[in-house]
Amino acid sequence: MSTQIPPIEPNETPVVVPATPKEPSMLYKIFVGPYGVRAGWKILIFIAVMFVMLRLSRPLFRMLPKMDPKGPMTPGISIASEFFQMTIIFLATGIMAKLVDRKPWGYFHIPLNKAFGANFWKGAGLGLGALTLQLAAMHLCGWFDFGVLQLHGFEILKYGAIWAFMFLLVGLTEEGLLRGYLQRVTTDGLSFLPDGWGFWVAAVIFSTLFAAGHLGNPGENKFGIVMVFIDGMAMCVTLWYTGDLWFAIGNHMAWDWGQSFLFGTPDSGYLALGRLMAPSFHGPALLAGGTDGPEGSLLVLGSEALFFIVTILLYRRRHYPLIERKETRPAEVVTMTIAETA
């Protein structure tokens, strides 16, 4: 009697074999990178979105009263203008975050859950403290007199609160525009640079634009423009060490509020209506600041140095989240059997 040996059935266990990914088209490579739409296109879309919103809201903007460029800043017009600009910037950021980047709002440096937290008040204290020390030094050198009170009683509280709100809007607008969405997207786009250098390249670009935006200010001088650039870089240092813009927003608000309201000095060439003090400047513009105010004095270099030093001492290390660039794409997967591979 013969014994039949059953035939060996092929092993049908599926095996996952990565297939060679298809090479994307040149058009795909132009518009899409490892993290979705490339940074350059995102920036152009962001600018286009703001432009469209500005055009659509032009009739509303025309209804706002016009401010005399050579006259003092008035609270009502200033608040309306800054609120309008802030709204456009925040809406554009929200649209990009939701529809293009698909990231949470806080990814672009102004997380709402940290609003007016410790970072904000540390930045505000440093901003006002540095300004006070600078003006005290200028006074001791004979270049600045604090003057006398111009407001009394309830007017001090009224104008103090109005200008605090106004310069909070300024901080949110300027920091949100140049060190918010644009800084984040450009940093991500340059993530192929080692050791976070993409962040600092973006910082130089947008600090230069920050300075250029002050060229048209009445009373602004050349040294003041240079100092605006340095201040932009100082705010980027605070972003690098704190991880968000609330420190910079508080610093920006308190510095401008101290100049325009508390001490009554020019702020980048502008004087405010409803100032607490009536100060005076003496001596050469490069030392006294002239029509530019404290920002036009050489001593502002000490204030900016204080921003750098105190921030580093407070936070010690970088808290800014960097991404690691990866050019790989998920491999296509196919299933095959051992029988088929034999």
Side-chain angles (χ1 to χ4, degrees), residues 245-321:
L245 280 171
W246 284 109
F247 188 102
I249 291 167
N251 184 282
H252 200 143
M253 181 202 77
W255 176 272
D256 285 353
W257 181 82
Q259 288 185 113
S260 297
F261 169 73
L262 185 61
F263 298 114
T265 69
D267 176 5
S268 293
Y270 285 105
L271 281 169
L273 186 68
R275 296 174 289 156
L276 180 62
M277 307 293 291
S280 58
F281 295 85
H282 314 282
L286 198 57
L287 299 175
T291 56
D292 195 48
E295 294 174 4
S297 169
L298 274 174
L299 269 69
V300 77
L301 288 169
S303 296
E304 297 294 344
L306 202 60
F307 294 160
F308 283 91
I309 294 168
V310 173
T311 300
I312 294 170
L313 290 176
L314 280 174
Y315 294 92
R316 303 285 182 176
R317 62 182 180 85
R318 169 181 65 84
H319 288 82
Y320 187 85

Side-chain angles (χ1 to χ4, degrees), residues 220-253:
E220 189 76 82
N221 58 38
K222 293 179 180 178
F223 179 74
I225 293 295
V226 173
M227 291 313 305
V228 172
F229 170 81
I230 293 175
D231 184 67
M233 293 300 296
M235 295 304 100
C236 288
V237 168
T238 70
L239 175 59
W240 179 261
Y241 278 92
T242 67
D244 61 58
L245 280 171
W246 284 109
F247 188 102
I249 291 167
N251 184 282
H252 200 143
M253 181 202 77

